[in-house]
């Protein structure tokens, strides 16, 4: 059956079938190939998109802007608006839906992006909320396809860290949809919700995905990809001391990679990463807690295992695929 995503929102991978996700991934690979060949696209000519950001961004904003312009669309980065201040989400959505062909939102509440989709009348794309980060997971899976030399349904992805954040949730959902085995290795206080785990385990019975949640570092054994994220998410900056105490044994270092038993294991991270002291926050953490790095060591981050910058580039190609598939000509 042909896949048609025209007019669809992209709020969480829960809303998409495995075939639809594979369609987006295949489209992303094709768009990447064309960009490398210098072939300009026209799929978004005559379209205009707007970007709404409550949280700061590097990859998400740049990927949407470059991806849209690559295919001929106009882009508005809306700052200093009345959104959420003097004007409700509903009213803002109606106004933007009259002017734009697609809306991207990156912020805190999943409810906000869902309301934008409810009231705008045009496709809305989730660039990150506290619950989900679906565009990131598409880029992650695309990178696994490129550097793990086996079918997705034979691969094992292990997430090490805060497993109840948007990345832990979204990677588990993506794995369940595509049949990848998924293990979350995290302290029990940071395990994902039992309801979501049970929902994805039920889905995994149909796709062949096995899901394990554990606090045992041996859960990384057999991993084809090790993934981690920052220990403190945006909006939780007062929790560094608490998280460091919880997470220090879950740092991704060379000993942990060796524990996988896989010399070809790849390392992934959605970025930004605290792998050294070359940021103001990294230096502050060193001064307060004596840590040269947090969630991943610099040795791993710069090693042959690391595919973080390939993964970052793939944000462009996968986000472009989402826009082309949902509003393209």
């Amino acid at each position: 059956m042909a896949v048609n995503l025209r007019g669809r929102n992209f709020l969480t991978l829960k809303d998409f079938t495995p075939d639809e996700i594979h369609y987006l991934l295949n489209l992303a690979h094709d768009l990447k190939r064309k960009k490398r060949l210098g072939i300009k696209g026209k799929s978004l000519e005559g379209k205009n998109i707007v970007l709404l950001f409550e949280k700061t961004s590097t990859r998400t904003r740049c990927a949407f802007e470059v991806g849209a312009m690559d295919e001929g669309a106009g882009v508005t980065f809306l700052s200093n608006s009345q959104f959420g201040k003097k004007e409700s989400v509903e009213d803002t959505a109606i106004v933007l839906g009259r002017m734009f062909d697609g809306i991207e939102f990156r912020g805190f509440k999943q409810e906000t992006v869902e309301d934008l989709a409810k009231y705008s009348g045009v496709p809305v794309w989730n660039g990150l909320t506290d619950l989900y980060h679906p565009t990131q997971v598409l880029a992650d899976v695309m990178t696994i396809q490129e550097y793990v030399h086996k079918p997705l349904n034979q691969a094992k992805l292990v997430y090490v860290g805060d497993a109840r954040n948007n990345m832990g949730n979204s990677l588990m959902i993506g794995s369940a949809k595509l049949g990848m085995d998924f293990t979350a290795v995290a302290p029990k206080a940071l395990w994902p919700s039992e309801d979501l785990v049970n929902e994805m385990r039920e889905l995994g019975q149909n796709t062949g995905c096995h899901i394990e949640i554990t606090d045992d570092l041996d859960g990384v054994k057999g991993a084809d990809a090790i993934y981690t994220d920052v220990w403190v998410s945006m909006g939780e900056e007062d929790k560094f001391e608490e998280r460091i105490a919880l997470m220090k044994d879950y740092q991704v270092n060379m000993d942990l990679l060796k524990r996988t038993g896989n010399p070809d294991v790849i390392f992934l991270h959605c970025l930004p990463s605290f792998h050294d002291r070359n940021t103001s926050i990294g230096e502050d953490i060193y001064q307060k807690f004596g840590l040269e790095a947090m969630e991943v060591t610099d040795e791993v981050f710069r090693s042959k295992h690391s595919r973080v910058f390939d993964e970052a580039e793939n944000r462009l190609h996968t986000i472009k695929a989402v826009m082309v598939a949902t509003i393209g000509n």
Side-chain angles (χ1 to χ4, degrees), residues 252-259 297 299-300 303-305:
V252 178
N253 50 41
M254 278 299 180
D255 286 340
L256 190 69
L257 291 194
K258 291 175 183 175
R259 208 162 179 161
T297 62
E299 182 183 18
V300 168
S303 73
K304 66 177 184 178
H305 302 281

Side-chain angles (χ1 to χ4, degrees), residues 58-105:
T58 298
R59 282 147 295 278
T60 301
R61 177 180 176 179
C62 293
F64 270 101
E65 290 192 347
V66 174
M69 290 185 286
D70 275 354
E71 293 292 325
V75 182
T76 297
F77 180 76
L78 188 61
S79 59
N80 299 320
S81 75
Q82 301 297 344
F83 176 63
K85 305 181 188 79
K86 291 173 129 181
E87 190 163 49
S88 68
V89 174
E90 178 181 351
D91 292 356
T92 302
I94 294 169
V95 170
L96 295 180
R98 300 286 183 97
M99 299 183 182
F100 292 94
D101 301 287
I103 300 169
E104 181 274 349
F105 172 78

Side-chain angles (χ1 to χ4, degrees), residues 240-253:
F240 270 110
E241 184 172 7
E242 169 193 319
R243 292 293 168 76
I244 288 169
L246 267 176
M247 303 294 291
K248 62 181 187 297
D249 293 334
Y250 293 86
Q251 182 187 67
V252 178
N253 50 41

Side-chain angles (χ1 to χ4, degrees), residues 180-313:
M180 278 192 298
D181 284 347
F182 176 81
T183 298
V185 178
K188 290 183 179 179
L190 299 177
W191 281 9
S193 78
E194 189 173 345
D195 287 345
L196 181 61
V197 173
N198 290 337
E199 181 184 355
M200 291 304 108
R201 280 178 171 157
E202 184 175 349
L203 175 61
Q205 291 176 1
N206 297 322
T207 64
C209 165
H210 173 74
I211 292 174
E212 180 182 4
I213 313 296
T214 181
D215 59 358
D216 188 344
L217 292 174
D218 281 338
V220 304
K221 287 182 178 178
D224 294 292
I226 296 287
Y227 200 115
T228 195
D229 192 6
V230 293
W231 290 345
V232 174
S233 298
M234 283 181 279
E236 299 181 333
E237 286 79 8
D238 60 335
K239 297 184 182 295
F240 270 110
E241 184 172 7
E242 169 193 319
R243 292 293 168 76
I244 288 169
L246 267 176
M247 303 294 291
K248 62 181 187 297
D249 293 334
Y250 293 86
Q251 182 187 67
V252 178
N253 50 41
M254 278 299 180
D255 286 340
L256 190 69
L257 291 194
K258 291 175 183 175
R259 208 162 179 161
T260 68
N262 179 4
D264 298 318
V265 65
I266 66 171
F267 170 71
L268 299 174
H269 192 304
C270 53
L271 304 183
S273 167
F274 295 116
H275 60 95
D276 58 22
R277 294 165 53 190
N278 294 332
T279 62
S280 59
I281 293 176
E283 179 62 24
D284 185 55
I285 292 300
Y286 173 76
Q287 295 298 331
K288 289 180 179 177
F289 303 102
L291 294 177
E292 294 277 356
M294 282 189 277
E295 73 276 4
V296 59
T297 62
D298 198 53
E299 182 183 18
V300 168
F301 190 88
R302 299 182 187 277
S303 73
K304 66 177 184 178
H305 302 281
S306 180
R307 294 297 174 186
V308 297
F309 295 115
D310 304 287
E311 179 187 7
E313 180 197 338

